[in-house]
Amino acid sequence: MLSVISYPVFALSVLLALTLSIASVPSGWLEFRPEWLALMVFYWTVRAPAQFGVFLAAALGLLLDVLESTPLGVNAMAMAVVAFLVLTVHQRLRMYPLPQQCAIVFLLLGINQMVVHVIKQSLGADNTGFGYLWPALTSAVVWPFLSLVLDNINRRLG
């Protein structure tokens, strides 16, 4: 779809995603907050695979680790896995209709959440069950709006 990206849009979208990832929300809504940075990794890896890849995703994940005060490398590994998986199917993803893209977003961000959950469990966290998948579901719901908005902004400024 888009081969040229607007670097200011990229920088601002990542900055906004990092801000939304650490923004204060009511405690009941915290487990439903979309994975904003993972959505940006997904978006920019699909739209600009030559400019955005595994290493940049891992660097952003490392920055998220610092901002969230999680053990270093947890989100970095998860973001790198998401970027790698998106890079393997990015040409097909562009042709999928929006509902199918939402399903892929749920699947890949669910993998992201599982990687983070497994690492945190191995480090001694006591969170059990499948509640850690709620952010993947809400991210899939947010995906159509996010992609349309970023496509329009990027098309105008790119």
Side-chain angles (χ1 to χ4, degrees):
M1 246 188 260
L2 298 172
S3 59
V4 177
I5 66 168
S6 171
Y7 288 104
V9 173
F10 166 75
L12 287 175
S13 66
V14 167
L15 185 65
L16 181 64
L18 287 168
T19 303
L20 289 172
S21 294
I22 62 169
S24 180
V25 294
S27 61
W29 290 95
L30 187 60
E31 69 183 48
F32 299 106
R33 177 174 34 197
E35 282 295 314
W36 295 108
L37 188 62
L39 278 170
M40 288 304 160
V41 166
F42 188 93
Y43 177 82
W44 289 110
T45 307
V46 168
R47 296 300 189 257
Q51 292 91 0
F52 193 92
V54 175
F55 292 114
L56 187 54
L60 291 174
L62 197 60
L63 184 58
L64 185 61
D65 285 333
V66 170
L67 291 174
E68 288 183 341
S69 298
T70 57
L72 287 179
V74 172
N75 286 309
M77 164 118 58
M79 294 300 165
V81 167
V82 168
F84 174 75
L85 292 173
V86 171
L87 283 172
T88 59
V89 295
H90 77 275
Q91 291 176 337
R92 259 187 253 150
L93 266 171
R94 293 178 180 190
M95 295 186 297
Y96 289 158
L98 218 45
Q100 209 166 2
Q101 286 182 11
C102 291
I104 299 294
V105 166
F106 174 71
L107 177 69
L108 294 181
L109 270 54
I111 292 171
N112 171 35
Q113 291 299 101
M114 286 181 200
V115 168
V116 170
H117 180 73
V118 166
I119 294 172
K120 285 183 177 179
Q121 288 288 83
S122 67
L123 294 175
D126 60 351
N127 185 5
T128 58
F130 291 102
Y132 63 88
L133 289 175
W134 282 115
L137 183 62
T138 57
S139 298
V141 170
V142 168
W143 170 251
F145 306 107
L146 180 74
S147 65
L148 290 174
V149 167
L150 284 175
D151 280 346
N152 287 334
I153 293 171
N154 199 35
R155 201 171 288 129
R156 288 186 184 150
L157 299 176

